[in-house]
Amino acid sequence: MNGSTATPADVSPAPPVRERLRITEIFHSVQGEADAIGWPTVFVRLTGCPLRCVWCDTEYSFHGGQWHDIDAILAEVASHGARHVCVTGGEPLAQKRCLILLRRLCDAGYEVSLETSGALDVSQVDPRVRKVMDLKAPDSGESGRNLWSNLDHLLPHDQVKFVIASRADFEWSRDIVREHALDGKAMVLFSPVWSKVEPRELAEWILAERLPVRFQLQLHKLLWNDAAGH
């Protein structure tokens, strides 16, 4: 019989599948919102989002980006010397390997937060991560995408954010907080849409309704006027 049959010992193992993510940008700045506001933070902005909120301020992250190995992402994060890391988007959970990145950041000892739309399942997110989860109010154009089962996976260190563009948005958000007793599950944040609701007006609505929520402004917009990379 001519030729030979390869044995298992003769076959080279397949190279390992590279763990990669499509990244729009990685940058060092000051956290502008949520409970880590003011801390020097490394932001890892993943590319892509299945939602199209009318007031979105990061549309540049919907497309493009570059593929990065997760090892290279961690090396870039480490180079900035910050303790806090925020994984954001777009919608970071639209890339399944985001869960691996979150776990590895936690394993490396960082304080890790995840900014997510609330439209994708958060049940598999590492419990060490602080989830900052939006619930989309009607004026966003995407309130029908809220995945309500996500409320069952909130932990005390998580935050639920409502971005409010009108009085109607405020009343919807107020009713959701009360209906689901959200303040008993996580920190609740109310934030005005830039140029749509005056900050003082929203603060006065919160006080008048005696809501157990935390008013916030986006510090990075006050400091850098929405410039990319900040």
Side-chain angles (χ1 to χ4, degrees), residues 12-91:
S12 299
V17 176
R18 296 166 66 188
E19 295 179 340
R20 301 193 304 165
L21 289 163
R22 188 177 285 277
I23 301 295
T24 294
E25 57 186 349
I26 301 174
F27 60 96
H28 185 219
S29 187
V30 171
Q31 176 59 266
E33 53 191 320
D35 70 340
I37 189 169
W39 282 113
T41 300
V42 179
F43 292 82
V44 181
R45 189 180 304 282
L46 274 63
T47 305
C49 184
L51 280 71
R52 292 295 182 267
C53 298
V54 298
W55 38 251
C56 182
D57 57 6
T58 54
E59 292 180 352
Y60 64 91
S61 69
F62 289 172
H63 307 288
Q66 300 291 327
W67 288 105
H68 292 257
D69 291 348
I70 291 181
D71 285 342
I73 296 170
L74 265 69
E76 173 69 13
V77 168
S79 73
H80 294 288
R83 187 165 63 93
H84 293 260
V85 181
C86 178
V87 178
T88 186
E91 169 49 73

Side-chain angles (χ1 to χ4, degrees), residues 28-219:
H28 185 219
S29 187
V30 171
Q31 176 59 266
E33 53 191 320
D35 70 340
I37 189 169
W39 282 113
T41 300
V42 179
F43 292 82
V44 181
R45 189 180 304 282
L46 274 63
T47 305
C49 184
L51 280 71
R52 292 295 182 267
C53 298
V54 298
W55 38 251
C56 182
D57 57 6
T58 54
E59 292 180 352
Y60 64 91
S61 69
F62 289 172
H63 307 288
Q66 300 291 327
W67 288 105
H68 292 257
D69 291 348
I70 291 181
D71 285 342
I73 296 170
L74 265 69
E76 173 69 13
V77 168
S79 73
H80 294 288
R83 187 165 63 93
H84 293 260
V85 181
C86 178
V87 178
T88 186
E91 169 49 73
L93 292 180
Q95 297 189 51
K96 293 182 179 180
R97 292 191 183 97
C98 176
L99 297 173
I100 300 172
L101 174 63
L102 292 168
R103 185 186 72 243
R104 291 193 58 188
L105 287 167
C106 290
D107 289 346
Y110 295 106
E111 294 283 339
V112 182
S113 62
L114 167 71
E115 294 185 345
T116 179
S117 66
L120 277 70
D121 178 31
V122 300
S123 64
Q124 300 304 307
V125 173
D126 192 298
R128 294 171 292 180
V129 172
R130 294 177 181 267
K131 298 185 289 291
V132 183
M133 188 181 78
D134 279 12
L135 285 179
K136 301 300 185 184
D139 283 4
S140 71
E142 294 284 13
S143 60
R145 303 288 292 273
N146 289 320
L147 183 61
W148 296 103
S149 60
N150 276 337
L151 300 183
D152 297 330
H153 303 292
L154 293 172
L155 299 172
H157 65 205
D158 293 334
Q159 294 121 74
V160 180
K161 181 173 67 172
F162 294 84
V163 179
I164 294 169
S166 65
R167 176 71 193 191
D169 270 3
F170 171 79
E171 293 177 358
W172 181 90
S173 302
R174 173 200 65 197
D175 293 346
I176 293 297
V177 170
R178 290 173 173 168
E179 177 184 350
H180 295 278
L182 288 182
D183 59 298
K185 298 178 180 181
M187 181 187 297
V188 181
L189 308 167
F190 276 25
S191 180
V193 174
W194 204 251
S195 79
K196 294 294 185 182
V197 173
E198 288 296 323
R200 186 174 71 178
E201 189 174 32
L202 177 56
E204 289 173 347
W205 293 344
I206 291 169
L207 293 171
E209 296 281 355
R210 301 183 185 276
L211 289 180
V213 305
R214 184 173 179 175
F215 170 82
Q216 67 167 9
L217 291 174
Q218 293 176 298
L219 180 61

